[in-house]
Amino acid sequence: MIVLHVAWTGKSFFIWAEQEPGLCTQRKRGRPPKNPGGLPHSFQAPVKKISSLLSLLYPDVNWGKVAKEDKQWILLPTGKRAPLPSPGLSAGSENGEYKLAGWEITGLSVPIPAFIEGIVACNHDDQYGDEGDGGDGHLIFGDDWNFWVLCGQFMLRMLCRQKFIPSLAPGEEGGVVAVWQPVFEDPEDRGILKRLISAMPPVCCGVIKEPERHDGELAMPYDVIMDYLRVTTDELIRTWLGDFSQPDQNAPVERKWLYALRGKERSVIAPKRQIEGLVKGLKEWTAILRENRGGFRTCLRLEEPRDGSENWYLSFHLQATDDPSLLVSARDVWQMNGKVVTLLNRQFEHPQERLLEDLGKILKIYPPIERGLMEPRPEGMFLTTEEAYFFLKEISVLLQDSGFGVLVPSWWRERKKRMPGVRLRLCPVQEHSGADSVGRLGLDSIVEFDWKLSIGQETIDYEEFKQLAALKKPLVRIRGQWVELNPRDMEAVMRWLNKQKGAKRVSLKEALGMVMAVEDDGPDIMGIDSEGWLHTFLQGLAGSEGYTILDTPSGFCGKLRPYQVRGFSWLAFLRARGFGACLADDMGLGKTVQVIAMLLYERECLGVKGPTLLICPTSVVGNWMREIARFAPGLKTFTHHGTDRATGNEFVEKATCHDLVISTYNLVHRDLDVLAMVKWKGIVLDEAQNIKNPSTKQAQSVRKLKSEYRIALTGTPIENRLMELWSIMEFLNPGYLGSRESFRRKFVIPIEKHGDERSAWQLKQLIKPFILRRVKTDPAIIQDLPLKQENKVYCTLTREQATLYQAVLEDTMNRISTSSGIERRGLILSLLTKLKQICDHPALFLGDGSLLSNRSGKLMRLVEMLDEILSEGDKALIFTQYAKMGRMLQAYLQRAFQREVLFFHGGIRKEERDRMIERFQTQEGPDIFVLSLKAGGVGLNLTRANHVFHFDRWWNPAVENQATDRAFRIGQQKNVQVHKYICIGTLEEKIDTLIEKKRDLADKVVGTGEAWLTELSDDELRTLFALESEAVRNE
Amino acid sequence: MALRGRKSFGSNWWAKQWLEALESLGWDGRLTRGRSYARNGNVLDLEISPGKVEAHVQGSRKIPYKVEISMKTLSQHEWEQVLDALASKAIFSAKLLAGEMPDNIEEAFSLLEVSLFPRYAADLSARCTCPDWANPCKHIAAVYYILAQEFDRDPFLLFKLRGMNREQIMEAICNRRTSAARPITEKKYEELPQVVESEGSSQHDGVSLINYWTGKMKSMDIKIVVEPPLVEQSILKRLGDPPFFAGKMDMIRQLEQDYKRVLLKAITVGYKD
């Protein structure tokens, strides 16, 4: 594992990297030094390695030429002898005390333009390299890297918006130099700057000259960032402007300054007086940018005519800068008699003068305002529609840019939605009657389409459109609303329309594809109109009344909540039409049962015969089996995994006589040939984010399988991850979103990189019909959800766990059978503990402190669920009865998610405990809190959590509930989900079943610990503890 | 004094007016001698007070010459009229405060038989410590030119010379304006809590090990959009003409080009695929 870092040195960027600390560094002999540090970093990656990594990641740059080997001293958290590894490394992250010390690091120095143009500009958020290129867990970018890339983007933003001015600054060796300076007048820019300062990782402030003192001090984030912004602005601009030849010695100082603003030579050399004059002149010239004019400014407000006239009114106001809704009209200002006036809790200094001065400045930008200033106490003026349009279009922006407030009618901001354009009209072609023979052609259904002219959401017939274009007025009131009309654009739309060949019949896919195919210079497509089932479909969730709400199938054992009934009815509706569907409900809303209901429905009511294939992660196979057994025992299911799984024709036969076959993502590629031999009714992907990278083998394989319908389940909001969205849609409805490249070009880049709203809206329209997503906080759902939802998460064991389990069981049972009395009791209880520990994690039992990944089914499932929870911004509590497990969980999760995880156990003092709780309860504090079950006593308020995990069970409901109630308080409105982890086929499941059956047992017997177990006979024990075959997942 | 080379001195109309007024007093030829002096920066300093201008000019001798110019201030009654005129339309105050002399101000004044500018030779008197007999000598003439420049920069200085400074004028206008309006109860001046705009000097204390490396990067979602400006070169447009340069137009043109080039390059880099 390599962690890539970059530091800002004040002049350039310094790239360095950590690699896994070898064993040799940890086993040094002798007493550790009193002040560690002041030496070369012990596990830095060699420069050659860094260089080759960079060439791989950013091949457009000639790194050999551009980067130079260099050394820097950086303050790093330090242990006894060596720097502490950062969170990404395996040895990383005991989150304890540390000291800062300076270490000498060898890396690559990269000049500013190369970093910005070569790295920042090429930064890919989706590291979708081919498998195994180093994008797979062998290389990660440190957060300092991510931070500086973000700053680089900020730099590009500033330069793109031309927020800079030429200026002078004192040179390093006396004299003056010409510099380009960034200008932070825009409140949005200042907001970004503030957030950057706030998010900055402290390591970025750790570059030091040399280890003068071992407990060095970090620089202030503000200073570092401002230094970076100043230096980079100047460096980039002068590099981009290129060199000019120098003017001669006798040129006026201003010309010398102009030339010193580009290329390498910065100094301005001239007699002192001339320089002073230049300084004074520049200061005067840029004075308006420096003004900080207190808490208010002048604001112009444009109001549309109220009556049917064409008289617009532009009024003058003073506006509070921190609250744009606070306006004081000019009329009131003229009555303010005094130098300092307090109004609405704000101070206004010299309000009249200020208003006048601003009006005078506005006069320079917008001369027509002179009309309104002809009286001693002006309040505003009238504008014609043409003048109002000009004001809206050109002046309002200039005024805002200059720091004045501008208030315009709200519809102006929305005017893009009211522009002239076209609407697509789709009519489903008449189909044969009969419920089921209704075309299942999905996107291949034939529709009749037609283009209609429109303004905003209204269609307009050709004649009226033509008349409006002929009016040649920029702003026209149509049906009571003001609309911006551009006659040229309108004529272009009409021309475009005439080129189309009129109403046609095409497949639905082609028709919808036309929305995407219209070129950038084509007309805006304002919407799609349709009728009947097509209308319902296109409306997506909004038109949920359009499809039939079905009855719960009789084979379903249990009760579906109302929203779940709607959910599976929607699935059935799409299925009937042949559309691929994506169910994207939040975790805990029951995607599983909705799918199960649909599977039952199709068999019961549609008479479907033939198998459906369900593909899911290995960690949830057990869970599916349990849920099906519980809710749809009549559904014939088998799982296809394990070394003894069916192959070839045997498999095909077996599949054909079952309703549901469950297999895993891991196998879908390996067994593709066998799977492809079956005629699947449907394919369901659970946790569809597993194919988020469309070029992985498993993503390709699922796409190759054929079936009559397809469903994808995911818990994450895929609208935010566009490539993932494409991959899933490509599975569900192949070809619908176009090729990967065209999708990237048309949507990913405009939306993710440039925040293009129009593309985002278009995409939303395109995918809306296929995705159903409900969240826990939905008002329509919230009443259907119990405040506290408890569910069991069924996990499997790894082979290692199973082997250990079996061995320990055998061994101890033998000893138990030959013992009696107290010894026997002791053995039973110790066996219980050992088996529980094994179910948690082998390392807990073996005490070998070794790496944790891939050795425990519970842990893998936990990580998957936490990933989803974190991506939704939720917080979670994790309870375990073993403090050691808690500690291992903390370390592992910290590394897995690279963020802080809190751990509370008996040994924590009160003040520290209180601090942990306080931090957890704040929005920005840590999101995961591991707690030792015993220590989770009274007085802990952890209500910020909406998920509670019981990693292992205490089997005493009172104890468990008390722990759960840390997060759940009676009367709170938030939904809390409780997840109880149970390993299938082990004592955990069996004891749980036992307790469920005999609830009174729980209170009476188990309450006093697990002593009741010692009363059981040998045979009963064996049955209880035996390991069933389904407990293991093996590949 | 920093000098601005222009095609003609006093590019704004009132500064031009000033010079024309002087020229109309019959000093044509003599004034030209002062122009080059002014251009070369020989006027070292200059101070304007009601009725008087004092300046130092570097001549051929080592010690600079002292120049004093006196001009009659307007009488109280005349000022009342001037202020009434100024208060009659908001545009006058607006322009003045924004650094411009309103166009039609001379019109307003001519109705009152008051002029901001000297009309007769007797309105002005000047003295210089140089041995030159001519009046105006080139030193005095240089000061006249620099005065034009100063009036250019700040029209209130012309008013100051005629007897009232900016604060006095604005207050007088304000009083006129408000006394005509409905009086409003004077609001009390309250001590408001200071809102300190801290530019985020966050301290590094109590930082856990993980947070040393990650800061808040994992919990904060910072989205930065790179987009071209709505109005190009808007800063340049707002700054307006720089206050110096022979070849001022070249400078503006050059800077405009620079801004355009930077924009183009930034877009190319920012929109790279």
Side-chain angles (χ1 to χ4, degrees), chain A residues 5 75-77 86-87 94-95 98 100 117 121-122 143 146-147 150 153-154 156-157 159-162 164-166 180 185 192 194-195 197-199 201-203 218-222 237 240-241 254-255 257-258 262 273 277-278 281-282 284-286 288-289 334-335 337 339-340 342-343 345-347 352-353 356-357 360-361 363-364 370 373-378 397 401-402 749 752-754 894 897-900 919 924, chain B residues 2-4 41 44 87-91 93-95 97-98 100 153 166 170-171 174-178 180-182 184 186-190 192 197-204 207-246 250-252 254-255 258-263 265-267 269-273:
Chain A
H5 296 287
L75 285 174
L76 297 177
S86 69
E94 277 290 319
N95 204 18
Y98 64 90
L100 284 180
E117 295 175 44
C122 304
D143 275 313
N146 295 331
F147 176 77
L150 212 53
Q153 287 171 351
F154 182 50
L156 281 175
R157 174 190 161 86
L159 293 178
C160 241
R161 297 170 80 226
Q162 296 176 316
F164 49 83
I165 46 165
W180 292 93
E185 52 180 2
I192 296 178
K194 265 211 179 109
R195 306 191 74 213
I197 293 175
S198 165
V203 66
L218 292 172
M220 286 279 123
Y222 177 79
I237 295 181
W240 287 350
L241 291 179
E254 296 88 1
R255 194 181 292 279
W257 170 68
L258 209 56
R262 62 209 70 239
R273 239 178 337 133
L278 180 63
L282 280 177
E284 201 180 297
W285 186 46
T286 58
I288 56 167
L289 289 179
W334 302 134
Q335 291 171 3
N337 198 352
K339 291 215 175 18
V340 180
T342 305
L343 194 61
N345 271 338
R346 280 160 177 75
Q347 277 183 33
Q352 298 195 20
E353 240 188 71
L356 284 169
E357 182 183 341
K361 290 183 184 162
L363 193 56
K364 291 189 199 174
E370 180 168 337
L373 298 178
M374 287 304 173
E375 39 183 289
R377 290 174 295 278
V397 170
D401 235 22
S402 309
I749 292 174
E752 285 185 353
K753 212 164 177 186
H754 307 305
Q894 276 186 158
F897 296 111
Q898 287 207 51
R899 48 176 99 194
E900 194 182 349
R919 291 182 62 211
E924 288 181 352
Chain B
L3 205 62
R4 323 162 191 185
L44 302 172
S88 67
K89 291 192 182 150
I91 192 169
S93 311
K95 281 197 155 179
L97 287 167
E100 264 184 60
R153 195 175 57 77
R166 173 183 158 144
M170 290 318 297
E171 193 174 330
C174 179
N175 287 337
R176 276 163 172 70
R177 190 171 47 232
T178 13
R182 228 176 358 98
I184 199 173
E186 170 84 56
K187 305 249 194 246
K188 283 207 67 146
Y189 170 65
E190 285 162 20
L192 286 177
E197 169 119 34
S198 70
E199 290 287 338
S201 48
S202 50
Q203 295 290 111
H204 295 300
V207 176
S208 72
L209 179 59
I210 289 198
N211 285 342
Y212 186 80
W213 294 96
T214 65
K216 296 210 179 109
M217 289 296 288
K218 289 271 180 320
S219 48
M220 284 180 75
D221 190 24
I222 302 181
K223 203 121 184 86
I224 297 185
V225 175
V226 176
E227 54 190 1
L230 286 164
V231 178
E232 289 188 20
Q233 282 86 256
S234 100
I235 283 190
L236 273 184
K237 288 182 181 145
R238 280 157 49 206
L239 291 182
D241 290 349
F244 37 52
F245 225 38
D250 291 341
M251 179 188 188
I252 292 290
Q254 177 66 57
L255 284 176
D258 292 340
Y259 272 71
K260 281 199 182 122
R261 275 175 76 179
V262 172
L263 171 58
K265 181 79 190 197
I267 283 191
V269 174
Y271 280 60
K272 197 196 284 199
D273 261 335

Side-chain angles (χ1 to χ4, degrees), chain A residues 228-446:
Chain A
Y228 157 82
L229 289 169
R230 286 186 201 122
V231 173
T232 309
T233 302
D234 183 51
E235 184 66 32
L236 273 179
I237 295 181
R238 54 175 60 245
T239 308
W240 287 350
L241 291 179
D243 266 305
F244 267 50
S245 53
Q246 290 299 313
D248 62 72
Q249 276 213 357
N250 296 325
V253 66
E254 296 88 1
R255 194 181 292 279
K256 288 184 185 167
W257 170 68
L258 209 56
Y259 280 76
L261 283 170
R262 62 209 70 239
K264 294 213 183 15
E265 188 51 60
R266 288 183 159 80
S267 345
V268 179
I269 302 177
K272 184 163 162 209
R273 239 178 337 133
Q274 284 186 23
I275 300 270
E276 280 169 12
L278 180 63
V279 170
K280 187 160 169 231
L282 280 177
K283 205 164 157 191
E284 201 180 297
W285 186 46
T286 58
I288 56 167
L289 289 179
R290 269 193 307 278
E291 284 172 351
N292 182 10
R293 304 301 300 280
F296 65 104
R297 63 183 178 189
T298 298
C299 171
L300 297 185
R301 180 165 77 184
L302 180 67
E303 293 159 65
E304 61 193 69
R306 254 172 258 201
D307 42 25
S309 74
E310 302 256 320
N311 295 327
W312 300 68
Y313 193 65
L314 187 67
S315 52
F316 311 142
H317 307 265
L318 285 181
Q319 182 190 48
T321 38
D322 58 344
D323 185 355
S325 68
L326 274 173
L327 289 177
V328 180
S329 73
R331 178 191 300 199
D332 289 336
V333 176
W334 302 134
Q335 291 171 3
M336 289 179 181
N337 198 352
K339 291 215 175 18
V340 180
V341 171
T342 305
L343 194 61
L344 305 165
N345 271 338
R346 280 160 177 75
Q347 277 183 33
F348 294 85
E349 277 181 25
H350 303 286
Q352 298 195 20
E353 240 188 71
R354 175 63 181 282
L355 181 58
L356 284 169
E357 182 183 341
D358 281 352
L359 287 170
K361 290 183 184 162
I362 290 176
L363 193 56
K364 291 189 199 174
I365 300 176
Y366 183 54
I369 209 173
E370 180 168 337
R371 260 190 0 238
L373 298 178
M374 287 304 173
E375 39 183 289
R377 290 174 295 278
E379 293 174 23
M381 57 191 263
F382 283 102
L383 297 179
T384 64
T385 301
E386 273 82 13
E387 289 174 321
Y389 180 70
F390 178 67
F391 180 85
L392 285 167
K393 190 100 179 161
E394 306 274 339
I395 303 298
S396 58
V397 170
L398 265 178
L399 286 176
Q400 275 179 319
D401 235 22
S402 309
F404 298 109
V406 178
L407 291 174
V408 296
S410 52
W411 53 257
W412 177 254
R413 280 181 233 288
E414 315 261 297
R415 67 192 186 282
K416 295 245 181 278
K417 298 201 182 139
R418 289 197 203 167
M419 294 194 68
V422 293
R423 293 180 72 83
L424 180 60
R425 181 159 180 78
L426 298 177
C427 290
V429 167
Q430 280 304 333
E431 295 156 6
H432 327 289
S433 57
D436 197 28
S437 59
V438 160
R440 287 223 208 101
L441 302 175
L443 285 171
D444 293 325
S445 311
I446 300 296

Side-chain angles (χ1 to χ4, degrees), chain A residues 15 190 492 555 769 920:
Chain A
I15 299 182
R190 288 154 91 105
F920 182 76

